[in-house]
Amino acid sequence: MSKKEIAKNSREKILSLEKSLIDIADGINIEGDGKHIVTKSKIAPVKHTFADNIYVRQMNITKGGVVVGAIHKHLHVWFLLTGHITVATEDTTEDYIAPCYVVSTPGIKRVIFANADSIFVNVHKNPSNTQNIDELEKEIVALNYEEYEQYINKNK
């Protein structure tokens, strides 16, 4: 099996996991519908912070929590400030123990599992300096691979 076939198989598994979680989402233990970014969460509360041309999104993920992320459109950096997480992508599964940071490539969907209570922070560019979360989400993430491909083709 080629690396491309393995990645496709892994992508399908991540999408299947996401669909399964959406199907059983109860708003208490599992949140999300796959059509909207969860910006106010009981499971992984999100804090939004702004600086000149920068948007910081902090998630406090409780031990045992799972986050299936959106697909980021841009290169960005994320930090694990406290805790221990396992991150699965279509290419790899890796453990991270705080403190650490990663330069994150665009076009990747991630599944994050919190092995311990963790503080996970994404840092994104915000060239318009907007503080409108809905506007920012449209600029920085795609909810599915079709939307991401449209973005890439439009911005070639």
Side-chain angles (χ1 to χ4, degrees):
M1 187 177 271
S2 73
K3 186 172 180 170
K4 189 173 184 176
E5 290 171 320
I6 292 169
K8 183 176 185 263
N9 190 21
S10 296
R11 178 183 285 189
E12 288 170 359
K13 286 179 182 176
I14 288 171
L15 293 173
S16 176
L17 171 64
E18 179 180 47
K19 184 184 178 323
S20 296
L21 290 171
I22 289 167
D23 288 347
I24 62 171
D26 59 6
I28 298 166
N29 299 302
I30 300 171
E31 298 172 313
D33 61 9
K35 298 178 184 125
H36 304 94
I37 302 297
V38 176
T39 57
K40 294 186 179 180
S41 171
K42 297 173 194 127
I43 297 166
V46 177
K47 177 182 175 186
H48 308 280
T49 306
F50 302 90
D52 287 341
N53 298 314
I54 296 173
Y55 165 52
V56 179
R57 179 185 174 97
Q58 175 181 318
M59 288 187 301
N60 298 339
I61 311 170
T62 56
K63 180 179 179 177
V66 176
V67 174
V68 180
I71 302 161
H72 291 94
K73 296 177 180 176
H74 309 282
L75 190 70
H76 70 285
V77 176
W78 64 259
F79 295 84
L80 184 61
L81 301 180
T82 65
H84 173 198
I85 61 174
T86 301
V87 178
T89 69
E90 60 193 60
D91 296 322
T92 187
T93 300
E94 294 187 51
D95 280 316
Y96 297 95
I97 298 172
C100 66
Y101 70 92
V102 172
V103 176
S104 185
T105 54
I108 305 293
K109 183 174 268 298
R110 293 168 183 79
V111 177
I112 303 168
F113 176 79
N115 299 293
D117 289 350
S118 301
I119 299 175
F120 183 90
V121 177
N122 280 302
V123 179
H124 295 281
K125 64 182 179 176
N126 181 6
S128 67
N129 269 329
T130 185
Q131 293 189 16
N132 180 313
I133 301 302
D134 291 335
E135 221 175 276
L136 270 168
E137 296 293 357
K138 287 177 186 164
E139 172 59 31
I140 62 178
V141 298
L143 290 173
N144 55 57
Y145 286 103
E146 294 80 19
E147 185 182 321
Y148 179 72
E149 291 300 324
Q150 288 173 357
Y151 169 80
I152 293 301
N153 292 331
K154 182 178 151 188
N155 291 289
K156 280 185 177 179

